[in-house]
Amino acid sequence: MTATSTSRSANQMWGGRFAEGPNAIMQAINASIGFDKRLYAQDIAGSRAHAAMLAATGILTNKDAEAIGEGLLTVLSEIEAGNFQFRVELEDIHLNVESRLTEIVGEAGKRLHTARSRNDQVAVDFRLWVRDQCDAAVAGLTALMQAFVAQAEAGADWVMPGFTHLQTAQPVTWGHHMMAYVEMFARDRSRFEDARRRMNECPLGAAALAGTGFPIDRHMTAQALGFDRPTANSLDSVSDRDFALEFLAASSICAMHLSRFAEELVIWSSAQFRFVRLSDKWTTGSSIMPQKKNPDAAELLRAKIGRILGATVALFTVMKGLPLTYSKDMQEDKEQVFDAADTLMLGLAAMTGMVADMTANRAQLAAAASSGFSTATDLADWLVRELGLPFREAHHVTGRLVAMAEAKGCDLPDLSLAEMQTAYPGIRDDVFGVLGVENSIRSRMSYGGTAPDQVRAQVARWKALLV
């Protein structure tokens, strides 16, 4: 295409205000079709709803509306078949679709843009796309939570060490640890559901910024596109990107949770821990060390938070200084969201696969649960409960016994009663009943505790909720 024909084509879209088209550099910085073509399905759905409404309100003839509706379906089929030629000189998905529609149906295609602007058009397209991504995230999180529940059910009574500061703290169960992530990802799921509810208002019909003088029916287009209602302020309608920011914020928190469990998998699968074995599907070897089995999928997931959080910061930065209403800066919203959504869905799918395939080393978990004086708190609690010591005094007595066991190179249950009585004469023989890890976990029957019966109750609850 010659420079003259490019200019003429562009001017046909912009109107008669411009005598010349953009130069190559301006065209490159201005065009968004390279990425916003991902909105083609939403753009066509919004245009079909708009055309039907224009006919219902008498703004378009039924004949024109029918031609537009059929023509848009033809455009959709061409794009999905890979036969559509996206043109940079037409800037964006809206003008590319409208131009091709006009080639197909003639003059009727030029009437489609009546009573709307690209400002409200992109707002509805993008909102529809983000709404779909919220639904996809909810589905992905549900599958991940089900994988964690299955692990928890299998190991509801398997003992393992619980950690604070990555130091052995108290014994817990494998099932309890798995269910902690169910709760975590449930909050993520609720954030996406909540964001979806809040974004489910339709900006179509706000036009450029002030609404329109045509007798449109915004409730009709909102209903046709699955929205709860139209947006209530035309200025806010075209300038709002809160829905994208909320999606990114929820994605960032979710990615952080994925990263936390990925970190645990990296640690747990190491030769030093041997808590879990990751399947060959999610690990790689070394080019030089034949013994290596690297948890690369977990390590990559641990890093993905950077991309998603970066997208969140980028869009906040774009939006923070914009006056009402639309500014071209807002064209920089989509690439960030597209990349974050792709990264999140890939991460959810990969983590679901790793959790479903991983095998816990029950014997190693149990051996580690008994190390590091993990039942010291149980001993302190026993001193309070059975001997009536104030907790601070019980804490000091237990500390002396831990130091004694450490000096001898043994664990608390290996101390004799006589040795224990040197720290506090009132200690009785039945103290040994609380020092085993199995006794410890069974005693944690408070709601939300690590006792196997509590874990099984939470598993049952979540299995019913995740159906």
Side-chain angles (χ1 to χ4, degrees), residues 342-358:
D342 292 345
T343 301
L344 178 68
M345 292 311 300
L346 179 63
L348 288 172
M351 185 60 84
T352 300
M354 281 191 286
V355 172
D357 288 351
M358 71 181 179

mmCIF file of all heavy atoms in Angstrom, residues 342-358:
data_model
loop_
_atom_site.group_PDB
_atom_site.id
_atom_site.type_symbol
_atom_site.label_atom_id
_atom_site.label_comp_id
_atom_site.label_asym_id
_atom_site.label_seq_id
_atom_site.Cartn_x
_atom_site.Cartn_y
_atom_site.Cartn_z
ATOM 1 N N ASP A 342 -2.364 -14.414 31.261
ATOM 2 C CA ASP A 342 -1.732 -15.607 30.688
ATOM 3 C C ASP A 342 -0.799 -16.266 31.699
ATOM 4 O O ASP A 342 -0.785 -17.504 31.843
ATOM 5 C CB ASP A 342 -0.934 -15.230 29.436
ATOM 6 C CG ASP A 342 -1.811 -14.795 28.273
ATOM 7 O OD1 ASP A 342 -3.036 -15.043 28.322
ATOM 8 O OD2 ASP A 342 -1.275 -14.199 27.319
ATOM 9 N N THR A 343 -0.025 -15.457 32.382
ATOM 10 C CA THR A 343 0.938 -15.977 33.354
ATOM 11 C C THR A 343 0.223 -16.649 34.518
ATOM 12 O O THR A 343 0.630 -17.728 34.981
ATOM 13 C CB THR A 343 1.835 -14.837 33.862
ATOM 14 O OG1 THR A 343 2.519 -14.242 32.760
ATOM 15 C CG2 THR A 343 2.861 -15.351 34.860
ATOM 16 N N LEU A 344 -0.846 -16.023 34.998
ATOM 17 C CA LEU A 344 -1.591 -16.597 36.119
ATOM 18 C C LEU A 344 -2.209 -17.933 35.740
ATOM 19 O O LEU A 344 -2.096 -18.912 36.504
ATOM 20 C CB LEU A 344 -2.677 -15.633 36.578
ATOM 21 C CG LEU A 344 -3.551 -16.151 37.728
ATOM 22 C CD1 LEU A 344 -2.740 -16.258 39.015
ATOM 23 C CD2 LEU A 344 -4.761 -15.254 37.939
ATOM 24 N N MET A 345 -2.841 -18.010 34.584
ATOM 25 C CA MET A 345 -3.503 -19.259 34.202
ATOM 26 C C MET A 345 -2.492 -20.376 33.976
ATOM 27 O O MET A 345 -2.741 -21.530 34.327
ATOM 28 C CB MET A 345 -4.346 -19.034 32.951
ATOM 29 C CG MET A 345 -5.557 -18.120 33.168
ATOM 30 S SD MET A 345 -6.571 -18.573 34.611
ATOM 31 C CE MET A 345 -7.053 -20.247 34.172
ATOM 32 N N LEU A 346 -1.349 -20.040 33.398
ATOM 33 C CA LEU A 346 -0.289 -21.034 33.245
ATOM 34 C C LEU A 346 0.196 -21.509 34.610
ATOM 35 O O LEU A 346 0.401 -22.716 34.838
ATOM 36 C CB LEU A 346 0.871 -20.436 32.439
ATOM 37 C CG LEU A 346 2.074 -21.343 32.204
ATOM 38 C CD1 LEU A 346 1.678 -22.563 31.382
ATOM 39 C CD2 LEU A 346 3.195 -20.570 31.504
ATOM 40 N N GLY A 347 0.362 -20.566 35.539
ATOM 41 C CA GLY A 347 0.822 -20.923 36.873
ATOM 42 C C GLY A 347 -0.166 -21.801 37.614
ATOM 43 O O GLY A 347 0.225 -22.771 38.283
ATOM 44 N N LEU A 348 -1.453 -21.487 37.516
ATOM 45 C CA LEU A 348 -2.476 -22.302 38.181
ATOM 46 C C LEU A 348 -2.495 -23.719 37.615
ATOM 47 O O LEU A 348 -2.592 -24.701 38.366
ATOM 48 C CB LEU A 348 -3.855 -21.650 38.028
ATOM 49 C CG LEU A 348 -4.103 -20.387 38.847
ATOM 50 C CD1 LEU A 348 -5.428 -19.741 38.442
ATOM 51 C CD2 LEU A 348 -4.105 -20.695 40.346
ATOM 52 N N ALA A 349 -2.403 -23.827 36.299
ATOM 53 C CA ALA A 349 -2.426 -25.155 35.678
ATOM 54 C C ALA A 349 -1.196 -25.972 36.076
ATOM 55 O O ALA A 349 -1.293 -27.164 36.388
ATOM 56 C CB ALA A 349 -2.503 -25.008 34.159
ATOM 57 N N ALA A 350 -0.032 -25.310 36.075
ATOM 58 C CA ALA A 350 1.196 -26.022 36.442
ATOM 59 C C ALA A 350 1.182 -26.450 37.903
ATOM 60 O O ALA A 350 1.558 -27.589 38.234
ATOM 61 C CB ALA A 350 2.409 -25.130 36.166
ATOM 62 N N MET A 351 0.733 -25.574 38.790
ATOM 63 C CA MET A 351 0.698 -25.929 40.203
ATOM 64 C C MET A 351 -0.307 -27.041 40.461
ATOM 65 O O MET A 351 -0.056 -27.940 41.279
ATOM 66 C CB MET A 351 0.372 -24.704 41.054
ATOM 67 C CG MET A 351 0.441 -24.977 42.557
ATOM 68 S SD MET A 351 2.098 -25.527 43.085
ATOM 69 C CE MET A 351 2.920 -23.948 43.275
ATOM 70 N N THR A 352 -1.440 -27.005 39.792
ATOM 71 C CA THR A 352 -2.423 -28.079 39.955
ATOM 72 C C THR A 352 -1.816 -29.421 39.559
ATOM 73 O O THR A 352 -1.988 -30.425 40.256
ATOM 74 C CB THR A 352 -3.672 -27.789 39.097
ATOM 75 O OG1 THR A 352 -4.252 -26.546 39.512
ATOM 76 C CG2 THR A 352 -4.714 -28.892 39.251
ATOM 77 N N GLY A 353 -1.063 -29.427 38.460
ATOM 78 C CA GLY A 353 -0.403 -30.662 38.035
ATOM 79 C C GLY A 353 0.634 -31.134 39.028
ATOM 80 O O GLY A 353 0.711 -32.337 39.344
ATOM 81 N N MET A 354 1.424 -30.231 39.570
ATOM 82 C CA MET A 354 2.460 -30.618 40.532
ATOM 83 C C MET A 354 1.856 -31.169 41.818
ATOM 84 O O MET A 354 2.327 -32.167 42.367
ATOM 85 C CB MET A 354 3.362 -29.424 40.836
ATOM 86 C CG MET A 354 4.401 -29.163 39.776
ATOM 87 S SD MET A 354 5.664 -27.958 40.296
ATOM 88 C CE MET A 354 4.717 -26.458 40.203
ATOM 89 N N VAL A 355 0.812 -30.494 42.312
ATOM 90 C CA VAL A 355 0.183 -30.944 43.556
ATOM 91 C C VAL A 355 -0.468 -32.316 43.358
ATOM 92 O O VAL A 355 -0.365 -33.197 44.223
ATOM 93 C CB VAL A 355 -0.849 -29.905 44.050
ATOM 94 C CG1 VAL A 355 -1.644 -30.447 45.234
ATOM 95 C CG2 VAL A 355 -0.144 -28.612 44.448
ATOM 96 N N ALA A 356 -1.123 -32.494 42.231
ATOM 97 C CA ALA A 356 -1.787 -33.777 41.979
ATOM 98 C C ALA A 356 -0.782 -34.918 41.857
ATOM 99 O O ALA A 356 -1.063 -36.047 42.272
ATOM 100 C CB ALA A 356 -2.636 -33.678 40.718
ATOM 101 N N ASP A 357 0.395 -34.630 41.290
ATOM 102 C CA ASP A 357 1.372 -35.681 41.016
ATOM 103 C C ASP A 357 2.376 -35.919 42.136
ATOM 104 O O ASP A 357 3.041 -36.956 42.152
ATOM 105 C CB ASP A 357 2.170 -35.340 39.740
ATOM 106 C CG ASP A 357 1.339 -35.493 38.480
ATOM 107 O OD1 ASP A 357 0.216 -36.018 38.578
ATOM 108 O OD2 ASP A 357 1.804 -35.073 37.412
ATOM 109 N N MET A 358 2.532 -34.981 43.054
ATOM 110 C CA MET A 358 3.606 -35.120 44.042
ATOM 111 C C MET A 358 3.299 -36.261 45.025
ATOM 112 O O MET A 358 2.137 -36.556 45.337
ATOM 113 C CB MET A 358 3.828 -33.816 44.795
ATOM 114 C CG MET A 358 2.747 -33.433 45.769
ATOM 115 S SD MET A 358 3.131 -31.852 46.584
ATOM 116 C CE MET A 358 1.675 -31.676 47.610
#
